[in-house]
């Protein structure tokens, strides 16, 4: 527990230093592929969130999801990629193949679907090669291109607002 505090502290320091040098580039491409980083510690409606995206015109094959959990039991098996705090190394990198492949994928839209800042989630969001990042306004402002003010439990409101503004920005 005490070592996790130091791991978090060092990772936050690395991420903050890296975020201070970020220059947001405007993306003019339309949205075809969507990546979702989801914190399943607080929000359990993963399927409902994906169904809302499908109902708004995103193909199910074009949606990739990466789920964060606070703890993963040894014998737990998932049908979707999952990572936890233990997958984070001391030098702010991930060893897990699912996380590395998700980060390298050049998504047109990345949904940072978490409203509580956790070091692992922020790092994955920051490292992502997505061209347009959307998240909650309660998270670090330097991380996302577009922020929506609502609670994570209100996924329908979040998706409605997202697609309203994506239409205004000519992204869909």
């Amino acid at each position: 527990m005490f070592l996790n505090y130091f791991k978090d502290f060092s990772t936050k320091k690395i991420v903050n230093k890296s975020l201070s040098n970020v220059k947001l580039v405007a993306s003019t491409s339309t949205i075809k592929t969507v990546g979702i980083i989801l914190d399943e510690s607080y929000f359990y409606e993963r399927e409902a969130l994906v169904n809302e995206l499908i109902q708004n015109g995103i193909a199910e094959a074009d949606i990739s999801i990466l789920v964060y959990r606070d703890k993963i039991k040894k014998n737990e098996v998932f049908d979707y990629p999952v990572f936890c705090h233990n997958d984070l190394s001391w030098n702010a990198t991930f060893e897990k193949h699912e996380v590395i492949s998700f980060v390298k994928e050049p998504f047109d839209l990345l949904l940072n679907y978490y409203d509580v800042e956790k070091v692992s989630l922020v790092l994955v969001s920051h490292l992502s090669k997505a061209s347009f990042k959307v998240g909650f306004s309660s998270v670090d402002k330097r991380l996302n291109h577009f922020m929506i003010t609502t609670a994570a439990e209100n996924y329908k409101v979040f998706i409605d607002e997202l697609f309203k503004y994506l239409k205004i920005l000519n992204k869909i």
Side-chain angles (χ1 to χ4, degrees):
M1 186 67 148
F2 188 68
L3 291 175
N4 281 339
Y5 173 76
F6 283 122
K7 187 194 291 188
D8 282 352
F9 181 77
S10 67
T11 303
K12 280 181 188 178
K13 190 173 178 180
I14 292 168
V15 170
N16 281 333
K17 185 176 180 183
S18 178
L19 279 173
S20 66
N21 298 329
V22 169
K23 293 179 182 153
L24 296 178
V25 178
S27 167
T28 58
S29 64
T30 60
I31 305 297
K32 293 181 183 86
T33 58
V34 176
I36 305 171
I37 301 172
L38 178 73
D39 184 1
E40 211 171 63
S41 307
Y42 299 104
F43 183 74
Y44 304 104
E45 303 291 330
R46 178 181 47 84
E47 289 295 323
L49 180 66
V50 171
N51 286 334
E52 285 290 320
L53 289 171
I54 293 169
Q55 288 176 0
N56 281 291
I58 305 294
E60 187 174 4
D62 293 334
I63 299 173
S64 297
I65 192 163
L66 181 66
V67 176
Y68 173 83
R69 288 193 151 198
D70 286 330
K71 296 197 187 249
I72 299 175
K73 296 176 185 168
K74 286 183 180 181
N75 297 331
E76 261 186 306
V77 178
F78 301 98
D79 57 344
Y80 48 89
V82 177
F83 74 106
C84 67
H85 188 270
N86 293 338
D87 297 324
L88 179 65
S89 72
W90 282 86
N91 56 353
T93 60
F94 289 97
E95 306 284 328
K96 198 165 191 178
H97 173 69
E98 290 91 353
V99 177
I100 293 169
S101 64
F102 185 87
V103 165
K104 289 183 179 178
E105 186 73 29
F107 296 112
D108 297 324
L109 172 67
L110 178 68
L111 292 181
N112 294 317
Y113 206 83
Y114 55 89
D115 57 356
V116 176
E117 236 178 81
K118 294 181 182 174
V119 165
S120 301
L121 292 165
V122 171
L123 182 61
V124 170
S125 299
H126 175 62
L127 294 175
S128 175
K129 303 291 184 230
S131 60
F132 190 68
K133 298 177 183 179
V134 177
F136 290 94
S137 60
S138 59
V139 180
D140 193 340
K141 310 292 187 246
R142 302 170 293 177
L143 195 59
N144 298 310
H145 296 100
F146 185 73
M147 292 155 284
I148 297 174
T149 304
T150 186
E153 294 80 25
N154 299 332
Y155 66 91
K156 288 186 180 188
V157 173
F158 182 87
I159 297 296
D160 288 343
E161 289 294 312
L162 172 66
F163 279 93
K164 179 172 77 173
Y165 285 104
L166 287 177
K167 286 177 185 171
I168 291 171
L169 296 170
N170 291 326
K171 295 266 186 203
I172 54 172

